[in-house]
Amino acid sequence: MFKKVLIANRGEIALRVIRACHELDIETVAVYSEADRECLHVRFADDDVCIGPPPSRLSYLRIPSIIAAAELTGADAIHPGYGFLAESPAFAETCEASGITFIGPTAEQIRRMGDKATARELVASLDIPVVPGSDGAIHDPDEALKVAKDIGFPVIIKASAGGGGKGMRVAQEPAAFAQAFQLARNEALAAFGSADVYVEKFLERPRHIEIQVMGDRHGRVMHVCERDCSVQRRHQKLIEVAPSPVVDQELRERMGACAVRATQHIGYVGAGTVEFLLDETGHFYFMEMNTRIQVEHPVTEMVTNFDLVKEQIRVAAGEPIMLNLSGNRLRGHAIECRVNAEDPYRNFQPSPGTITAYHPPGGPGVRVDTHVYAGYTVPPYYDSLLAKLIVHGNTRQEALSRMRHALDSFIIEGVTTTIPFLRRVIAHPDFESGQVDTKFLERETGLFKPAA
Ligand code: ADP
């Protein structure tokens, strides 16, 4: 087992990983930017190293600084968390070249799944349904329009290197295609350094269903359970649940088998997520694979009673997967709300500043993954996630009620948060009945206006 793990991240996920390491009797190293001196991950880690000025490209994204910090402190492994360098093949490669274990898949595995256009082709060759679309990236607008017409409108143009809902544009009809294609390419180049895009059929009312997988170095891959992440704003997840209210055991097994087939094919090691769209007729289509731990991993932990981060660390150290789902049946229902420092009634504009009062909800079945405290200043440089509020209930009804009351008693003052908005979404009859698809929030424009 590792002796000392460096966490190449900040915020709640850095704390989450530190906790898992400590429970495994592994020492920890925090890295931080000059804006994060007062962060709790710095306080709770056994060792800490400042890696540069606030902008992430000068700190959390600077591979040489992070490797130097690991060497300086004698860390034998690095956990990348999510975001930042978590899906950088160059980072995974540099870690290995420096004799430090990257807690995650190999650079080659990240590369094969990281480019969405090539991942689609790979998966399609394994007889896993993919959304109808172009074979790989297309560069010529006329050729792309021809492909779009063959697929049938509406279509979505997506960045091959995309993530976080960026670099995507929908074209409802041929007349709108050229502009959408150009916009997607520009956005992709600006956000990911590559203008490569591909074209896919745009499904009208799909649900976003993803399968958690875990692979070990002994060739074993397990699927755990699905998460339903259909509550989205601008293709970004806001609320996630497990299990999905529309996935039965038969569908779960079928989707799980596809997810395992794709991951096993590349000898995948570590935690990963295979994302699908599920249409109204019950057909599902592979969308992409994320080769890291996800923000929403706690809902899976709540319904399986299984620590995914500890498992990531254990399999990276060469141990076999402990997880055995057949002996580990799903228990109850879990819901996660992402609480952000944003103004929901002003287009979700970020609201950095100092938290003047903080009191998290508690009680049975309530979990808060957060790095904030009263007196903490939310810096303007990073994402605006303040806390993940996760609840578990024996039934979906119990989980819903628990979430409603937990949101009501969550006190965060000094910065504007999305709590009032989340409260209204949770209380919406369609969310309660589980009848939501990825366009749900787009239709419910009333939710984006302050309550009368
Ligand atoms: P990212 O990697 O940026 O998160 P994804 O490929 O996971 O992008 O897609 C994010 C979301 O965008 C999906 O959950 C879904 O809501 C929407 N989306 C993506 N592709 C399609 C599609 N073909 N049809 C309808 N919606 C889509």
Side-chain angles (χ1 to χ4, degrees):
M1 188 37 85
F2 307 117
K3 293 208 158 39
K4 204 168 187 180
V5 170
L6 180 144
I7 297 99
N9 217 300
R10 64 182 301 281
E12 67 84 21
I13 193 66
L15 282 180
R16 170 75 186 85
V17 178
I18 290 173
R19 235 173 243 139
C21 289
H22 286 170
E23 286 180 27
L24 290 168
D25 289 324
I26 300 170
E27 281 189 71
T28 52
V29 184
V31 291
Y32 64 98
S33 76
E34 285 160 17
D36 280 346
R37 274 183 204 289
E38 303 303 321
C39 275
L40 288 180
H41 72 286
V42 180
R43 188 180 309 180
F44 290 146
D46 301 292
D47 236 332
D48 55 77
V49 182
C50 180
I51 48 165
S56 356
R57 70 192 157 76
L58 302 176
S59 49
Y60 297 105
L61 290 173
R62 272 206 87 221
I63 297 176
S65 312
I66 294 169
I67 298 290
E71 284 174 345
L72 197 74
T73 53
D76 49 358
I78 295 185
H79 194 301
Y82 53 67
F84 295 130
L85 295 168
E87 286 173 289
S88 157
F91 185 52
E93 231 153 45
T94 312
C95 289
E96 297 303 334
S98 314
I100 300 165
T101 304
F102 176 79
I103 301 180
T106 63
E108 176 60 18
Q109 290 160 359
I110 300 176
R111 241 179 230 121
R112 290 184 81 177
M113 284 301 181
D115 183 282
K116 295 193 198 185
T118 34
R120 267 171 60 86
E121 284 179 66
L122 172 88
V123 163
S125 75
L126 300 172
D127 281 338
I128 295 168
V130 298
V131 186
S134 60
D135 298 327
I138 322 185
H139 308 283
D140 177 52
D142 295 328
E143 193 197 328
L145 177 59
K146 198 174 155 295
V147 171
K149 283 182 176 159
D150 287 345
I151 301 167
F153 279 83
V155 296
I156 183 165
I157 304 142
K158 297 167 81 170
S160 301
K166 290 196 208 88
M168 274 190 272
R169 277 282 186 286
V170 178
Q172 290 293 342
E173 70 216 1
F177 186 82
Q179 194 190 14
F181 187 76
Q182 200 49 50
L183 283 172
R185 279 179 66 90
N186 295 349
E187 209 174 290
L189 183 63
F192 312 109
S194 155
D196 280 4
V197 295
Y198 62 103
V199 180
E200 229 175 55
K201 174 95 187 152
F202 184 65
L203 304 182
E204 293 289 4
R205 286 185 153 210
R207 297 181 76 113
H208 174 119
I209 309 282
E210 56 184 40
I211 306 279
Q212 174 74 53
V213 293
M214 184 74 77
D216 65 19
R217 293 193 195 279
H218 309 276
R220 191 150 171 250
V221 177
M222 295 283 299
H223 71 86
V224 186
C225 157
E226 81 283 359
R227 294 183 285 258
D228 190 324
C229 314
S230 300
V231 179
Q232 302 182 350
R233 175 181 168 268
R234 297 191 178 164
H235 309 305
Q236 292 177 14
K237 302 161 188 167
L238 290 181
I239 300 176
E240 303 94 355
V241 308
S244 166
V246 298
V247 173
D248 60 18
Q249 189 57 23
E250 187 268 330
L251 181 56
R252 176 172 303 127
E253 286 305 329
R254 269 196 297 135
M255 295 181 84
C258 287
V260 167
R261 192 148 80 239
T263 19
Q264 206 146 34
H265 180 76
I266 60 166
Y268 192 81
V269 175
T273 297
V274 182
E275 298 189 334
F276 296 95
L277 291 176
L278 177 70
D279 72 14
E280 292 126 289
T281 61
H283 291 99
F284 61 87
Y285 307 91
F286 169 86
M287 194 167 41
E288 65 158 340
M289 175 168 184
N290 291 321
T291 53
R292 53 165 158 79
I293 193 82
Q294 306 257 102
V295 175
E296 58 274 21
H297 77 274
V299 289
T300 306
E301 296 185 323
M302 302 297 265
V303 295
T304 57
N305 226 352
F306 198 78
D307 187 321
L308 291 169
V309 177
K310 270 199 216 165
E311 193 68 356
Q312 267 192 305
I313 298 169
R314 291 181 56 263
V315 300
E319 292 185 18
I321 302 178
M322 283 209 318
L323 177 69
N324 178 356
L325 197 65
S326 54
N328 200 338
R329 296 206 14 202
L330 301 183
R331 46 184 277 278
H333 290 256
I335 309 174
E336 172 182 281
C337 282
R338 301 188 188 195
V339 176
N340 290 329
E342 290 168 356
D343 188 341
Y345 306 126
R346 284 201 188 140
N347 222 0
F348 288 73
Q349 191 177 299
S351 164
T354 300
I355 293 175
T356 50
Y358 177 79
H359 184 76
V366 177
R367 163 174 171 184
V368 182
D369 280 19
T370 184
H371 58 296
V372 312
Y373 52 89
Y376 174 74
T377 299
V378 182
Y381 308 102
Y382 314 109
D383 72 34
S384 47
L385 183 70
L386 291 176
K388 301 188 310 204
L389 170 59
I390 308 113
V391 300
H392 179 259
N394 291 318
T395 60
R396 195 174 143 82
Q397 273 316 314
E398 188 178 46
L400 282 165
S401 166
R402 206 157 254 169
M403 181 55 91
R404 264 198 305 277
H405 293 286
L407 284 167
D408 282 346
S409 57
F410 204 160
I411 299 172
I412 304 178
E413 285 167 9
V415 298
T416 307
T417 79
T418 49
I419 290 175
F421 173 77
L422 293 166
R423 200 182 278 144
R424 291 171 70 192
V425 178
I426 292 289
H428 192 289
D430 290 353
F431 185 80
E432 283 195 347
S433 63
Q435 297 308 310
V436 290
D437 55 75
T438 57
K439 305 292 139 52
F440 162 64
L441 287 184
E442 220 167 274
R443 287 190 298 273
E444 296 300 320
T445 46
L447 290 169
F448 295 93
K449 300 185 187 96

